[in-house]
Amino acid sequence: MNEKKSQKIGDNQNQYVSELFRKYQAQLKGFIAKRVPSKEDCEDILQNVFYQLAKINIETNPIEQVSAWLYSVTRNQIIDWFVLSLVKRIFCIPSHS
């Protein structure tokens, strides 16, 4: 793939993620906040969700149901957060805060 085409795909990807962030950020943040007590952890989880989205090549792997995909990834990130929190408590590992 030539450099200009690669740059255009990258620009499209960035624009796509930005649009979805603007559209879903508030909804997902509320969804997370109902399940995670810390505002900082809520922000971290939200950031991880959109990082996962940014990693996907939308040209080769388009997402058919964006809302469903975002909420699924969000639920998985919340579960990961709970598991990590539990492990830290069990083994007395200090938090990053």
Side-chain angles (χ1 to χ4, degrees), residues 58-72:
I58 60 169
E59 297 289 322
T60 58
N61 297 315
I63 300 171
E64 305 254 342
Q65 300 280 330
V66 175
S67 179
W69 186 92
L70 286 169
Y71 277 93
S72 178

Side-chain angles (χ1 to χ4, degrees), residues 13 16-17 20 24 28 31 46-58 61-77:
Q13 176 82 13
Y16 178 69
V17 172
L20 291 176
Y24 289 100
L28 291 173
F31 181 80
L46 184 63
Q47 182 178 0
N48 288 340
V49 170
F50 282 97
Y51 173 71
Q52 295 299 320
L53 178 63
K55 287 187 344 184
I56 293 175
N57 183 335
I58 60 169
N61 297 315
I63 300 171
E64 305 254 342
Q65 300 280 330
V66 175
S67 179
W69 186 92
L70 286 169
Y71 277 93
S72 178
V73 171
T74 301
R75 277 189 297 276
N76 289 337
Q77 289 292 320

